Amino acid sequence: MIALVDCNSFYASCEQVFRPDLKGKPVVVLSNNDGCIIAANKEAKSLAHIPMFQPVFKIKKVLEQNNVVCFSSNYTLYSDMSQRVMNTLREFSPLVEEYSIDESFVDLSGYSASRVQELATEIKDRVHQNTGIPVGVGVAKTKSLSKLANRYAKKEPKNDGVYVVDSEEKRIHLLKKILVKDVWGIGRKHAVRVESTGAITAYDFSKLPVAWVRKQMTVLGERLWRELQGETCNELVPLPKSKQGIGTAKSFGYKLNEYGLIEEACASYVSEVADLLRQQKSAAGKIEVFLATNSFSDTDKQYRNKVVITLETPSSSTIKLTKVALQALRKIYRPGYRYKKVGVNLFNLVPDNKVQFSLFDFKEKIECEALTKAIDKLNNKYGKNKVKVATVGNREKQWALIKEHRSPRFTTQWDELLTIGKV
DNA sequence: TCTGGGGTCCTAGGACCC
DNA sequence: TCTGGGGTCCTAGGACCC
């Protein structure tokens, strides 16, 4: 059996752990630039007109009228809380697949069938006790079924956040309770196609001819169809897959046309992704830089372009990667536009220790590596980004994301620790 | 004024090779 | 009349996920 453990409105819950005064009050978390809503607790959801991914400016009034508490996203806090949740899950099983920041598949095959029902409740309670985060638990034979079980666990109040599919009757019952459009793996487009056959529930979908499913929804649809019957097609993958690419692309807090500022943002993103690259002990063979205006604007002149540069030798050095990225940026920058976003992606990742060098590159690598190491060391000691490549500059305020409502990074920064009583 | 960001997987089609 | 067939690699686009 496989359990799918999913945190309830995770980002909002993280904020509430450190703000017990907000218990029972509506809370939402905003995306980068405080642009739109990416998480809402159940109190906020129950207020009408707070759909997810709504731009904040469109519903500002509703938020104010209902005294909804808004937080800017604080990923440092959320990733740390996520790790605490995952560590608790590992107390139950050695095989845990971290599917996303707020959910995991947990292999329960080591437990007897009769124990699973009470075990599921135990998981829910212990995560809450250890971390303060409420979770839902769905258990079934396959990943797809446990995902549906989890949904049903939360949707139906009498389940109290836990649903275990341990019989054929319960499997059928579950499938009949879930609508086609709510099935994991059926998105908007496929839902329309499936519904056009007259199917309404997941059960109806599971009764469609497999050949039709295969033709309309590719092999992914077929796997899903089989998993709903109880046949395993997606194995649990306990280790994080090493990433195929690392990238970042963020909107500026303001529209920019000054090349120097865009350059700063670009260089800063390079150092961000290069850090991640070194953490996973890889080097990148290709780097892509792209630049875009605001595609939502009806009045701004539109421009977007990208360029990919292949490095002679894969590299993980911030200095080398910055140099190449800025060459790329120079190629696509055109004056006269109001730019909204710049992005950097690293591809063709190879293990750091398998890189082949020409003699010339080798000399350069040794030099860059020593310098990069020294910088990493200083930053570890004195704080992130204290030492950086000169291009990054210090005008971050003029381009960086707007984060008006960020909460303190309670668990990862000494100077932002939660204090109790007067200091 | 203000509209997220980071991913995965699959398929089809083109270029190229023998 | 009839114009190979299989393989690889790459890219773009679609669909979905959190």
Side-chain angles (χ1 to χ4, degrees):
Chain A
M1 298 283 261
I2 295 173
L4 188 263
V5 182
D6 183 314
C7 303
N8 303 348
S9 348
F10 182 56
Y11 298 167
S13 298
C14 287
E15 299 291 352
Q16 284 184 285
V17 167
F18 295 92
R19 291 286 305 275
D21 57 303
L22 297 180
K23 198 172 163 64
K25 298 195 175 143
V27 171
V28 298
V29 176
L30 311 178
S31 66
N32 280 331
N33 280 327
D34 295 346
C36 56
I37 295 185
I38 53 171
N41 69 355
K42 65 173 190 296
E43 289 81 3
K45 275 180 196 151
S46 73
L47 296 168
H49 317 304
I50 305 200
M52 298 300 219
F53 305 109
Q54 269 292 305
V56 168
F57 74 93
K58 278 192 183 165
I59 55 164
K60 206 157 185 159
K61 262 212 172 121
V62 186
L63 295 176
E64 282 167 7
Q65 281 163 2
N66 293 285
N67 294 318
V68 177
V69 182
C70 298
F71 288 96
S72 302
S73 37
N74 182 349
Y75 288 103
T76 314
L77 174 66
Y78 309 150
S79 342
D80 186 64
M81 291 302 287
S82 170
Q83 277 318 300
R84 290 164 195 243
V85 171
M86 305 305 177
N87 289 342
T88 300
L89 297 180
R90 290 207 176 77
E91 295 173 7
F92 290 91
S93 169
L95 294 184
V96 174
E97 176 181 345
E98 294 183 19
Y99 179 71
S100 77
I101 192 164
D102 72 339
E103 63 189 286
S104 270
F105 291 101
V106 183
D107 175 75
L108 299 183
S109 55
Y111 297 88
S112 73
S114 56
R115 171 100 168 82
V116 170
Q117 179 71 48
E118 99 192 334
L119 186 68
T121 306
E122 227 175 289
I123 292 176
K124 187 187 86 157
D125 293 344
R126 200 186 301 173
V127 171
H128 190 250
Q129 192 187 350
N130 286 4
T131 66
I133 302 287
V135 298
V137 182
V139 185
K141 239 171 99 183
T142 66
K143 280 183 171 179
S144 303
L145 280 171
S146 65
K147 188 85 185 174
L148 293 200
N150 181 288
R151 194 184 177 89
Y152 184 51
K154 290 186 181 180
K155 199 180 104 182
E156 181 67 57
K158 71 167 198 278
N159 291 329
D160 197 25
V162 175
Y163 192 77
V164 178
V165 182
D166 49 9
S167 69
E168 182 61 10
E169 294 75 58
K170 283 175 99 176
R171 184 183 74 87
I172 305 281
H173 175 76
L174 174 67
L175 291 183
K176 287 186 171 169
K177 286 286 180 185
I178 304 281
L179 297 175
V180 163
K181 67 175 174 50
D182 295 331
V183 174
W184 183 48
I186 301 186
R188 270 213 344 251
K189 297 277 164 107
H190 287 329
V192 171
R193 267 180 230 173
V194 173
E195 282 160 1
S196 74
T197 68
I200 295 164
T201 65
Y203 180 76
D204 302 334
F205 170 71
S206 77
K207 290 295 171 192
L208 290 174
V210 66
W212 183 90
V213 174
R214 168 75 194 225
K215 183 140 187 266
Q216 299 293 321
M217 302 169 66
T218 78
V219 60
L220 293 173
E222 179 176 343
R223 273 183 215 147
L224 167 64
W225 185 89
R226 289 183 186 282
E227 287 233 319
L228 294 186
Q229 325 284 336
E231 181 186 333
T232 300
C233 299
N234 292 311
E235 298 287 344
L236 206 101
V237 189
L239 292 174
K241 303 155 226 166
S242 77
K243 292 190 185 156
Q244 306 189 343
I246 298 178
T248 191
K250 283 174 280 224
S251 300
F252 306 126
Y254 311 90
K255 306 258 181 64
L256 302 181
N257 51 40
E258 188 195 323
Y259 184 71
L261 285 174
I262 298 174
E263 203 174 39
E264 276 194 23
C266 180
S268 151
Y269 296 168
V270 172
S271 86
E272 205 177 290
V273 291
D275 277 350
L276 293 173
L277 188 67
R278 290 195 296 279
Q279 275 171 33
Q280 68 165 57
K281 301 202 184 333
S282 304
K286 277 188 186 176
I287 181 164
E288 174 191 84
V289 175
F290 69 89
L291 185 63
T293 51
N294 179 13
S295 62
F296 286 101
S297 168
D298 308 325
T299 48
D300 283 5
K301 260 191 306 176
Q302 294 294 313
Y303 172 74
R304 61 162 44 237
N305 205 350
K306 66 166 186 181
V307 61
V308 179
I309 293 187
T310 304
L311 286 92
E312 274 170 40
T313 318
S315 170
S316 65
S317 150
T318 301
I319 298 157
K320 172 80 188 169
L321 292 171
T322 304
K323 217 189 269 178
V324 178
L326 295 183
Q327 283 168 14
L329 181 66
R330 176 61 71 183
K331 279 191 193 165
I332 52 176
Y333 173 80
R334 303 281 177 274
Y337 292 95
R338 302 174 70 217
Y339 291 103
K340 183 63 185 163
K341 186 191 271 186
V342 70
V344 178
N345 287 309
L346 305 177
F347 298 114
N348 289 22
L349 308 187
V350 293
D352 206 6
N353 54 12
K354 292 217 175 111
V355 177
Q356 297 278 318
F357 297 96
S358 70
L359 268 177
F360 174 76
D361 281 341
F362 194 67
K363 184 166 169 282
E364 194 186 0
K365 173 184 154 83
I366 297 290
E367 287 166 7
C368 279
E369 228 173 40
L371 191 48
T372 305
K373 260 194 191 138
I375 293 174
D376 280 351
K377 216 171 164 182
L378 287 169
N379 282 336
N380 274 333
K381 190 162 172 192
Y382 296 109
K384 224 178 156 191
N385 279 328
K386 283 284 188 295
V387 182
K388 51 200 174 186
V389 178
T391 322
V392 173
N394 53 13
R395 295 185 292 168
E396 196 176 347
K397 283 214 172 67
Q398 293 179 52
W399 55 263
L401 308 168
I402 297 166
K403 287 191 179 225
E404 255 183 82
H405 314 278
R406 206 202 73 208
S407 51
R409 288 161 290 187
F410 295 109
T411 58
T412 57
Q413 300 288 312
W414 286 111
D415 51 359
E416 296 178 14
L417 276 180
L418 185 64
T419 49
I420 297 170
K422 290 217 168 101
V423 181

